[in-house]
Amino acid sequence: MQRDVDTGIIRAFLTVAETCSVTHTARRLNRSQGAISQQIKRLEQLSGKPLFSRAGQRMALTPEGESLLGAATHFIAANDRVWAALNLPAIHGEVRFGAPYDIIGSYAPAILRRFSSTFPAIRVTLVCKDSALLLSELKSGAIDLALTTELGCGTGGETLRRDQLVWVGGRGGNAHTRNPLPVSLGAESCVFRPVAIAALRKAKRAWQVACEVSNMEPVRATLEADLAIAPMLRHSIPESLAALPQTARLPRLPVFRVNLYQAARPNPAVLTFAEHARACIAVH
């Protein structure tokens, strides 16, 4: 006999798996905590196995839950494509999307994956440059939309998120104890570079450049090899690296903004992409 699964139950399962919290899931899906708990209970009844282990307020996937994750993700993606086909106007065209090196790994994959799944007819071109260069290209019309990292927010932009800039090093490393302090910095156009240099000078900390490029791969390599430390947004720290603690006695760095800018006259494809970017960054 053919059985159908409620989409809402699967969406609740995926959101709890992502947030590790019934409370956060209820807030995101605009449901009560009791309703989310009942959905998870119903899915576990259908499975006949526990899908989450509970430790206080934290929810962690069991091995059975992990095995369901892939199929559940594809199920919701297919549902969203059907819903889009039924309810959204056909949108075609191209979106030229820019993102800086420091956050492209944090946000771009989720935005691009979600958007391309829902709007496969729209071509997306990705441009990766420092924030200042992206704003220049947006003004010239070379790109349609850009995420930036800035201390403030310029005219026409909107702040989607605030994130603390921190010093980062290799796990278990001691590069931060050396004198002069070895630092990996971006190129001249990198927005973190002048902020980090100013903080080091104010703290009267002797330092020297270990890497000087706006590209995360060589910067990450120097940090993983414990050759240097670098300033990064807390949300963008790779798993192989770690934020350095206050006991490292490094100068405090400021909070940055993740901003969204659009072309002066965005087409429907750009407007739709912007909505997906807002939604994806809001749930991180």
Side-chain angles (χ1 to χ4, degrees):
M1 181 178 67
Q2 186 174 357
R3 304 275 309 266
D4 294 325
V5 180
D6 182 1
T7 306
I9 293 177
I10 302 300
R11 197 179 297 276
F13 165 75
L14 287 175
T15 309
V16 172
E18 180 182 349
T19 65
C20 301
S21 167
V22 169
T23 301
H24 292 162
T25 296
R27 188 178 301 122
R28 185 182 299 181
L29 299 182
N30 196 27
R31 303 290 303 277
S32 69
Q33 293 184 43
I36 298 300
S37 295
Q38 286 298 317
Q39 287 180 312
I40 298 302
K41 181 178 179 181
R42 174 57 179 157
L43 189 60
E44 289 183 325
Q45 289 174 341
L46 291 174
S47 171
K49 308 178 188 68
L51 302 176
F52 291 96
S53 60
R54 282 87 168 167
Q57 298 296 319
R58 183 176 175 79
M59 306 277 284
L61 286 170
T62 63
E64 292 80 9
E66 290 281 0
S67 66
L68 179 62
L69 199 58
T73 301
H74 288 300
F75 177 80
I76 291 299
N79 173 82
D80 291 348
R81 285 195 297 271
V82 172
W83 181 256
L86 291 172
N87 294 277
L88 296 176
I91 302 177
H92 301 273
E94 180 182 5
V95 175
R96 297 165 298 176
F97 168 53
Y101 298 98
D102 48 271
I103 61 171
I104 193 166
S106 308
Y107 300 113
I111 295 171
L112 296 172
R113 182 166 54 247
R114 175 175 174 175
F115 186 78
S116 63
S117 175
T118 308
F119 297 95
I122 299 177
R123 177 186 175 189
V124 179
T125 302
L126 180 63
V127 176
C128 187
K129 294 184 179 181
D130 286 330
S131 293
L133 300 178
L134 291 174
L135 289 174
S136 178
E137 296 212 350
L138 186 68
K139 186 176 181 179
S140 70
I143 60 176
D144 303 304
L145 181 143
L147 287 179
T148 65
T149 45
E150 302 173 86
L151 284 170
C153 186
T155 303
E158 59 178 300
T159 298
L160 303 184
R161 186 184 185 93
R162 288 173 172 81
D163 202 352
Q164 180 70 49
L165 190 67
V166 295
W167 294 106
V168 176
R171 291 187 177 277
N174 62 10
H176 64 280
T177 66
R178 298 171 198 153
N179 191 36
L181 181 71
V183 182
S184 286
L185 296 170
E188 293 289 341
S189 56
C190 174
V191 292
F192 298 159
R193 179 189 176 97
V195 170
I197 292 174
L200 290 167
R201 286 176 175 168
K202 184 177 180 180
K204 297 181 179 180
R205 182 70 184 268
W207 61 280
Q208 63 184 13
V209 174
C211 182
E212 203 169 15
V213 294
S214 287
N215 187 313
M216 284 301 296
E217 289 306 314
V219 171
R220 181 172 175 174
T222 61
L223 270 60
E224 290 179 347
D226 197 30
L227 297 178
I229 66 171
M232 291 185 185
L233 293 179
R234 189 177 294 278
H235 187 77
S236 300
I237 301 173
E239 291 185 3
S240 59
L241 306 175
L244 294 169
Q246 291 184 350
T247 53
R249 297 185 178 181
L250 294 166
R252 183 171 174 81
L253 299 172
V255 172
F256 269 74
R257 301 186 185 199
V258 177
N259 297 326
L260 175 67
Y261 293 85
Q262 299 179 53
R265 296 180 180 179
N267 60 42
V270 173
L271 291 172
T272 304
F273 189 94
E275 284 299 321
H276 277 253
R278 292 186 187 98
C280 285
I281 292 178
V283 302
H284 272 72

